[in-house]
Amino acid sequence: DAKTTQPPSMDCAEGRAANLPCNHSTISGNEYVYWYRQIHSQGPQYIIHGLKNNETNEMASLIITEDRKSSTLILPHATLRDTAVYYCTSPPHGTASKLTFGTGTRLQVTL
Amino acid sequence: DGGITQSPKYLFRKEGQNVTLSCEQNLNHDAMYWYRQDPGQGLRLIYYSQIVNDFQKGDIAEGYSVSREKKESFPLTVTSAQKNPTAFYLCASSIEILFRGSGNTIYFGEGSWLTVV
């Protein structure tokens, strides 16, 4: 099973890019990396996921290293509303019932 | 709007009482899940259901019960046997239990806060 490791907290100035790292050195070749975020007292919100290639959507970009041992979530122009806990996760063998969320990275966006 | 609706948002329970948290989805998803989140902690899986009339225990099922009589609904009952029920409860759903490829992920409701008084 892919165990993920994230820094507990990060700060980012509003308008700057926020780069959130995640280590997943034990990930298997067919296991996706997923990113979610959770604003206080709300349910987690899906952001993006990827397997090998870099991915981009309207919320963020996901950069996965060639060896797939780590990834970086990029919020290109962080706003105060992006302040949240960000979770990197990978469901073992693609089994959704095994999807786990650790304590994530608390991103604080400041003026 | 399509999504997952949980109710109530806030619930207070007396010691020894059973309470039921509602979860309804209109995403036509087969799989549904219940998670528990304690302050400053990650999510822990209570129960999940792959399809109607089927459900399986997760990592912390003791003191909880569920039913899946309809595809859209997956209510969670917190029984008096649950020793420490005060927590944030999250319902979620996905197209199917296996993430076979791109496009499948878990979507969450807004959560329900349960407090024992």
Side-chain angles (χ1 to χ4, degrees):
Chain A
D1 298 351
K3 176 177 169 57
T4 59
T5 305
Q6 300 177 254
S9 64
M10 295 182 65
D11 292 329
C12 179
E14 189 176 33
R16 304 300 291 268
N19 299 298
L20 294 96
C22 179
N23 287 324
H24 34 78
S25 58
T26 61
I27 197 170
S28 297
N30 60 351
E31 291 172 347
Y32 282 73
V33 177
Y34 285 78
W35 283 84
Y36 289 78
R37 72 180 183 185
Q38 186 174 26
I39 297 170
H40 185 61
S41 296
Q42 296 183 22
Q45 177 189 24
Y46 165 76
I47 301 173
I48 199 167
H49 71 283
L51 183 63
K52 296 180 182 178
N53 301 320
N54 298 336
E55 302 287 345
T56 295
N57 63 20
E58 65 278 4
M59 290 184 67
S61 294
L62 175 61
I63 308 297
I64 302 174
T65 58
E66 195 167 337
D67 62 7
R68 302 211 329 120
K69 293 185 184 300
S70 66
S71 61
T72 301
L73 179 75
I74 301 172
L75 308 178
H77 305 286
T79 71
L80 297 178
R81 286 178 292 183
D82 292 322
T83 292
V85 177
Y86 287 77
Y87 298 100
C88 166
T89 184
S90 179
H93 309 297
T95 305
S97 62
K98 299 297 183 183
L99 188 73
T100 59
F101 288 71
T103 51
T105 296
R106 182 171 299 276
L107 176 68
Q108 180 69 52
V109 180
T110 57
L111 290 172
Chain B
D1 286 344
I4 301 171
T5 302
Q6 290 187 238
S7 62
K9 179 68 175 178
Y10 300 96
L11 183 61
F12 296 89
R13 191 196 91 171
K14 292 182 180 180
E15 295 274 358
Q17 277 186 339
N18 293 352
V19 293
T20 297
L21 305 180
S22 170
C23 178
E24 302 280 330
Q25 55 99 358
N26 60 4
L27 301 168
N28 200 33
H29 286 174
D30 280 323
M32 297 188 73
Y33 315 80
W34 273 105
Y35 291 87
R36 169 180 171 141
Q37 187 175 33
D38 293 283
Q41 302 298 313
L43 276 63
R44 293 184 290 169
L45 182 66
I46 305 172
Y47 268 98
Y48 66 96
S49 168
Q50 298 188 56
I51 201 165
V52 175
N53 293 322
D54 172 79
F55 49 85
Q56 305 293 329
K57 293 182 179 180
D59 301 320
I60 55 166
E62 185 174 352
Y64 300 97
S65 66
V66 294
S67 63
R68 186 85 187 277
E69 297 176 1
K70 297 187 302 181
K71 186 175 186 177
E72 303 80 18
S73 178
F74 191 41
L76 174 74
T77 297
V78 184
T79 74
S80 57
Q82 170 49 236
K83 301 301 181 194
N84 185 20
T86 295
F88 188 48
Y89 290 88
L90 287 157
C91 179
S93 71
S94 62
I95 294 173
E96 57 178 342
I97 201 75
L98 287 177
F99 290 170
R100 298 182 188 276
S102 181
N104 191 13
T105 189
I106 284 182
Y107 296 93
F108 288 84
E110 287 302 304
S112 293
W113 284 98
L114 173 62
T115 302
V116 173
V117 296

